[in-house]
Each structure stands twice: as structure tokens, then as C-alpha cells.
Amino acid sequence: MPMGCFVILLPNDADYRVLGYYFKESKSEFEISNDLFLRLNLDHSKNEYNLLKLKDYQIFSYLHSFKGKLTRKASGLIIGLLLNENDELEQFRSSLKAGAEAFEIPSLDILTKSKDEFEMLLKDIYLEHLEPLMDSLEPEALKNNVINITKFMLSGGKKERKTAQELLEKIEIGEHKKISEWYEIAENAIKTLDYEKAGKFYLKAAEMAEALFVMDIATFLKEKGVFSKQFPDLLKEREKIVQEARNALRNEDFHQAYTFYRKASIISKKLIQYDKEEEYRLKSKALEDFYKIDEKYRKNK
């Protein structure tokens, strides 16, 4: 489970600004130093998502680019989770994105808040978006979630009240249970590497979540569905590229070899397989260095 989170603003005309931190335990010595920001900013110049392994924990972060009025003052923000080594990154992928997007709601006006005000907001967003949504996918939790939504709608106009009544009828016949059932089928399909089936059932569950107006869960499930459908093709593409790299290496074409390994590293990041990303990145760097030295001595002959 996450230990906490942070948000860094990326202003247009100034250095970065740490908007605030939230830690599950009240005390933490963690802070964003200049060196740590530079590492994060450099990594995010190439990727939306990034994993940074430190001594006591790992930082899984997401770069969110602003749209609309906020772009006048800042290009975006970096939101990061402090995770334990055994935390599975994939379960936080869509949560990070949802949390980042929540800060862009105009009524929140995050640029005018004090640090204390922002950290109160960050705590709310952390609890709503950044904790894994697994518990929220239990049938009883889904039922309570939808009922709370209908209570809000019942105080609205005629159209909202009608929608609320329809939602309650769907809950009465157990429509919310399908989300849990389809999610479970998708999760089991992932375990057997049937990504096509997993993607299909994640998306079915997402459609039902949208129909029941639990939009944060719908977004989470939709992203898992899209990612699952893309996964096999990305995996095949990487395998092909790695084989090309090995063939180039056998033929002593070091330039081609390091170029292919670099591409394999980039795809591994998209797959959120950071061990493979590191392996192929290091191979690419070693072969690139060797190629440059070899070229230098060839020219001097």
C-alpha cells in the first residue's frame, strides 16, 4: 500500500514548486530536493509514467499536462506515490491519472491555495483516488456508492430525480454485482495470460460502472481494459525488436544493436515492466559506448 504522495507544479515562468505532501503516517522525512526533482523532470521529459527506485521506497509518478486556463501559469504537474518495493504498479496507474485530473477542476483553484489548504485537498484526493480501488469494487461498496450518488441527485431537478430512481431500480435488480463479477473474470484472465479476454471484461465492467454513474471506477476499469488489449501487441513488438538486437549483435552491427535495445527499453516502460526497461536500457548504453569507441579506433587506423 502507498505510504503517501506529493504534487509538484511546473510553472511557465519560474522553477518548480512543491504544492504539498500527504503521508499516511503523520511524520515523514521525505522531501523533494532539487536533485530529486531534476531526476523526475528528466525522466518525465520522455514518459508520462515513471518509476524511480530509491533506498527505502520507490516513487511511481505521472506527468499531467494542463488544459484550459491553467496553461497560462503552468504547463502541468507531477503527482507521485511513495510505494513499497512489493507494491504492484499497475493497480495505481489509472489512480494516479485520476488524481492528477482532479486538481484541474476550476472550482478548486489550486494555484491560489496555501500549502496547508492544498495539503488538506491532497488528503481528500488521495483517499478518493490514489488508494487502490479494489475495495470499492466489492458489491456492497458499489451499492453504497450508487445510493450516495442518488441522494445527491434527488435534491436536483426533475431529470436528476428520474435518473436517481432509475439507478435505484438497477441496484434493486443487482446490476452493480455485474461490475464485481466481470472484474473478477478479467483478473483471472490476466493470471492465465488471456489478455484479450481480460480486456473484454474490464471494458464490460467499465460500461456498467458508467451506467451506474460511478465514474472514477469506470475510468479505472476502462484504462485497465485498454491496457490489457494493447499488452499482447506491445509484448510481441518488444520480442521482435529484442531478436533484431541479438541478430545485429551476432553480425557485430553494434549501432543497430544498441538502437534496437533502446526501443525495447521504451516499450518496456509502456508495459510498466521496469526491470526489463532497466535491462534493455543498460544493454543499449553499453553497446552504444562500445560502438563509439570502436568507431574512434577504426578512424585512427
Side-chain angles (χ1 to χ4, degrees):
M1 294 290 285
M3 294 179 279
C5 62
F6 61 85
V7 176
I8 304 171
L9 184 71
L10 304 173
N12 294 330
D13 55 359
D15 291 334
Y16 73 95
R17 175 179 149 206
V18 179
L19 291 177
Y21 303 90
Y22 169 69
F23 302 107
K24 293 180 75 172
E25 301 294 332
S26 57
K27 293 183 179 180
S28 175
E29 296 180 358
F30 174 82
E31 65 175 2
I32 302 294
S33 64
N34 288 336
D35 287 344
L36 182 53
F37 168 73
L38 289 173
R39 291 176 67 183
L40 286 169
N41 198 38
L42 179 61
D43 288 341
H44 280 298
S45 67
K46 303 171 185 176
N47 301 282
E48 284 186 332
Y49 291 93
N50 185 65
L51 177 68
L52 188 59
K53 293 185 177 181
L54 302 177
K55 183 180 178 181
D56 300 320
Y57 39 76
Q58 52 186 355
I59 297 174
F60 189 39
S61 55
Y62 172 71
L63 171 66
H64 175 68
S65 298
F66 287 148
K67 304 176 185 68
K69 292 182 179 180
L70 282 176
T71 57
R72 299 172 187 172
K73 296 185 178 180
S75 62
L77 58 80
I78 295 173
I79 183 169
L81 280 173
L82 303 181
L83 301 175
N84 294 296
E85 190 175 347
N86 58 350
D87 285 327
E88 295 181 13
L89 301 181
E90 172 54 25
Q91 65 178 313
F92 301 105
R93 191 171 179 270
S94 57
S95 301
L96 269 178
K97 185 175 181 181
E101 290 173 346
F103 289 111
E104 206 168 354
I105 298 172
S107 60
L108 295 180
D109 198 9
I110 61 172
L111 299 184
T112 63
K113 291 188 180 299
S114 68
K115 192 168 186 288
D116 287 342
E117 289 173 328
F118 182 85
E119 289 185 342
M120 289 177 63
L121 172 63
L122 179 56
K123 178 182 178 180
D124 291 339
I125 287 177
Y126 176 89
L127 295 174
E128 182 178 354
H129 295 287
L130 299 179
E131 287 278 17
L133 292 173
M134 310 310 164
D135 292 341
S136 301
L137 286 159
E138 292 296 323
E140 195 62 28
L142 285 166
K143 179 179 178 179
N144 291 335
N145 198 343
V146 176
I147 288 173
N148 287 334
I149 291 169
T150 62
K151 288 177 181 176
F152 177 78
M153 288 181 169
L154 287 170
S155 63
K158 184 178 179 181
K159 184 178 180 181
E160 286 78 12
R161 292 196 299 273
K162 181 182 177 183
T163 301
Q165 187 58 44
E166 290 171 352
L167 286 175
L168 290 171
E169 289 171 3
K170 288 179 181 179
I171 289 296
E172 192 66 30
I173 62 174
E175 291 284 89
H176 61 291
K177 295 179 182 177
K178 293 179 182 178
I179 298 174
S180 303
E181 291 168 4
W182 290 337
Y183 174 76
E184 190 65 30
I185 292 171
E187 288 287 285
N188 289 331
I190 288 289
K191 293 174 184 176
T192 61
L193 306 182
D194 190 343
Y195 293 101
E196 184 175 348
K197 182 178 179 180
K200 175 184 175 182
F201 278 93
Y202 281 135
L203 292 175
K204 278 170 67 72
E207 288 177 8
M208 180 57 71
E210 281 188 350
L212 295 176
F213 285 75
V214 280
M215 304 311 294
D216 54 340
I217 291 173
T219 299
F220 169 74
L221 292 168
K222 189 178 293 185
E223 290 218 347
K224 285 184 77 71
V226 171
F227 183 75
S228 297
K229 284 181 171 290
Q230 291 175 342
F231 194 94
D233 290 338
L234 287 171
L235 207 57
K236 287 178 184 177
E237 184 182 355
R238 187 182 68 187
E239 288 172 359
K240 181 180 178 182
I241 288 171
V242 169
Q243 190 57 52
E244 293 282 3
R246 291 170 179 159
N247 292 339
L249 199 53
R250 290 191 193 98
N251 296 326
E252 298 187 2
D253 187 341
F254 302 112
H255 181 272
Q256 281 281 74
Y258 85 70
T259 301
F260 281 124
Y261 274 127
R262 183 180 293 165
K263 290 179 181 178
S265 173
I266 292 169
I267 292 174
S268 296
K269 264 202 169 183
K270 291 180 181 178
L271 290 167
I272 316 183
Q273 294 182 342
Y274 287 97
D275 290 341
K276 287 292 184 182
E277 184 276 330
E278 183 180 33
E279 175 190 343
Y280 297 135
R281 174 170 46 80
L282 292 175
K283 285 181 177 179
S284 176
K285 183 66 171 63
L287 287 167
E288 182 180 12
D289 291 343
F290 183 86
Y291 169 76
K292 289 178 179 178
I293 292 170
D294 187 56
E295 283 293 292
K296 177 181 177 181
Y297 281 98
R298 283 178 186 272
K299 290 177 181 178
N300 290 337
K301 283 184 179 179

